[in-house]
Amino acid sequence: MFGPGSAPVLVLSSNTKRDSGRKVQLENIQAGKAIAEVIRTCLGPQAMLKMLMDPMGGIVMTNDGNAILREITVQHPAGKSMIEIARTQDEEVGDGTTSVIVLAGEMLNVAEKFLSDQMHPTVIIKAYRSALEDMVNILETKVSTPLDKSDRSKLIEVIKACVGTKFIGKWSDLACNIALDAVQTVTVEESGRKEIDIKRYAKVEKIPGGTIEDSCVLRGVMLNKDVTHPKMRRRIENPRIVLLDCTLEYKKGESQTNVEIVNESEFTKILQLEEECDYVEKVCNDIIALKPDLIFTEKGISDLAQHFLLKANITAIRRVRKSDNNRIARACGATIVNRTEELREEDVGTGAGLFEIKKVKT
């Protein structure tokens, strides 16, 4: 209990122990080596797969260092730093996660001897930095080979070097071509600057059934959606597309109201006010004014809005994910609009060649 105006007191347990010096340095090295030993057998063409159980009880088999380390719970700070190395390597390069951990483990192993000889850590680090500068210089001047990005065969060779040690190596030709086509599809050059954002604009859609050989790159966007009304068109060539991030339905009242009705006309008027027919009609008219063939919205579409859109021969798809909406915007050149009254002609996407709904047999 604290009295008024008193400051809280931090009480340390008598069992609390703080280590320092050479002992901690050696413990850190042992933690790093332990992490490296876990995934050492995942490196190279003779790599073994690790069988992991995720928190949901599912089984995952992989020899990807980063995927394995993601599932491991580590408390030691040095061990966490090793896992962070793999994560950084995966985000920056996309390959070499196992190699970088094994290399870091070996560097720690070599440094252990110098620490045993009473050498200061800063001296060891300085030597490592000097070695790094020499390695980078040798790589740039003697070892590295220039790569022509326009030569597809050379690019395939580079990708095969990454895929060869993976589980999918059996289908390496197919996987390499799919990977290269996917990256080239999402590559955009603007004002001399090249942007390749595979995390936001490249999506892997998994469909049960079939074989790995059935996999392919779709030059477009695939959604697991259907039209909101059965009479809407399911195939449109060169569609005019409008993308929305707003609802096309009436907003239900939050409070209960008792109304006394005398005649039938008053009932009709109240029903119209309750469903906000005028509001829905106005929203639909804002869309119809641009004469689109197709609209996507991240929110819902009411039955009344479907009626107005169907009369104007407009196909509508609702509750699209934000990430999918962004991909559609990139593919067709449309702009996502939050309010229908702000719609303009330049917001309409006309870059899509075909919109089609198909049932994929599984």
Side-chain angles (χ1 to χ4, degrees), residues 58-126:
I59 301 295
V60 179
M61 289 185 66
T62 179
N63 66 347
D64 179 35
N66 187 45
I68 294 167
L69 294 175
R70 265 202 316 264
E71 300 296 332
I72 295 175
T73 304
V74 178
Q75 297 297 330
H76 199 284
K80 289 181 179 179
S81 296
M82 292 287 284
I83 293 173
E84 196 63 36
I85 292 171
R87 187 174 295 125
T88 304
Q89 178 77 6
D90 185 59
E91 289 176 358
E92 294 295 325
V93 182
D95 188 48
T97 51
T98 306
S99 304
V100 76
I101 292 294
V102 172
L103 180 61
E106 285 302 311
M107 291 174 71
L108 288 172
N109 188 32
V110 172
E112 190 174 7
K113 300 176 193 172
F114 296 114
L115 286 172
S116 301
D117 293 339
Q118 305 302 314
M119 191 175 288
H120 198 277
T122 54
V123 178
I124 301 171
I125 292 168
K126 187 177 179 181

Side-chain angles (χ1 to χ4, degrees), residues 23-287:
K23 182 184 177 185
V24 177
Q25 291 168 358
L26 294 175
E27 284 179 359
N28 289 343
I29 289 174
Q30 291 303 321
K33 286 166 65 178
I35 296 293
E37 286 297 327
V38 170
I39 62 171
R40 187 183 294 277
T41 54
C42 296
L43 182 65
Q46 300 298 320
M48 293 186 290
L49 295 173
K50 293 280 190 291
M51 185 180 290
L52 307 171
M53 180 177 286
D54 61 23
M56 302 299 292
I59 301 295
V60 179
M61 289 185 66
T62 179
N63 66 347
D64 179 35
N66 187 45
I68 294 167
L69 294 175
R70 265 202 316 264
E71 300 296 332
I72 295 175
T73 304
V74 178
Q75 297 297 330
H76 199 284
K80 289 181 179 179
S81 296
M82 292 287 284
I83 293 173
E84 196 63 36
I85 292 171
R87 187 174 295 125
T88 304
Q89 178 77 6
D90 185 59
E91 289 176 358
E92 294 295 325
V93 182
D95 188 48
T97 51
T98 306
S99 304
V100 76
I101 292 294
V102 172
L103 180 61
E106 285 302 311
M107 291 174 71
L108 288 172
N109 188 32
V110 172
E112 190 174 7
K113 300 176 193 172
F114 296 114
L115 286 172
S116 301
D117 293 339
Q118 305 302 314
M119 191 175 288
H120 198 277
T122 54
V123 178
I124 301 171
I125 292 168
K126 187 177 179 181
Y128 272 139
R129 282 182 177 155
S130 178
L132 175 62
E133 290 175 6
D134 292 340
M135 282 189 291
V136 172
N137 185 41
I138 292 170
L139 284 171
E140 290 179 347
T141 57
K142 298 179 181 179
V143 179
S144 61
T145 304
L147 179 65
D148 183 9
K149 295 177 185 174
S150 61
D151 188 346
R152 186 179 178 87
S153 61
K154 293 293 182 184
L155 292 173
I156 291 290
E157 285 181 22
V158 174
I159 302 170
K160 274 188 178 179
C162 303
V163 174
T165 59
K166 299 292 187 287
F167 179 66
I168 203 172
K170 182 179 176 182
W171 299 276
S172 61
D173 289 336
L174 174 66
C176 292
N177 282 293
I178 285 177
L180 185 55
D181 289 340
V183 170
Q184 289 177 340
T185 301
V186 300
T187 301
V188 174
E189 287 194 41
E190 293 179 353
S191 305
R193 177 176 166 272
K194 183 177 286 187
E195 180 189 297
I196 305 174
D197 193 344
I198 57 174
K199 292 191 184 297
R200 289 175 60 194
Y201 297 114
K203 180 184 179 185
V204 179
E205 192 75 42
K206 300 174 185 177
I207 300 175
T211 62
I212 290 181
E213 286 83 356
D214 295 332
S215 304
C216 64
V217 176
L218 177 68
R219 293 186 63 84
V221 183
M222 183 164 71
L223 309 175
N224 187 14
K225 294 285 180 184
D226 197 0
V227 293
T228 56
H229 194 283
K231 289 187 179 180
M232 288 178 175
R233 290 180 290 171
R234 283 184 164 82
R235 179 185 169 89
I236 307 171
E237 293 185 5
N238 302 316
R240 286 170 55 83
I241 300 175
V242 167
L243 303 180
L244 300 172
D245 184 15
C246 61
T247 180
L248 301 181
E249 54 191 356
Y250 54 84
K251 300 170 186 174
K252 296 179 181 178
E254 296 180 359
S255 58
Q256 291 184 346
T257 308
N258 294 324
V259 180
E260 187 175 335
I261 299 170
V262 178
N263 54 47
E264 186 180 345
S265 61
E266 290 182 358
F267 176 78
T268 307
K269 188 175 180 181
I270 288 172
L271 186 65
Q272 193 170 0
L273 286 171
E274 181 186 311
E275 294 189 351
E276 295 191 29
C277 295
D278 295 338
Y279 169 76
V280 173
E281 186 174 6
K282 177 185 175 299
V283 167
C284 291
N285 287 335
D286 290 338
I287 298 169

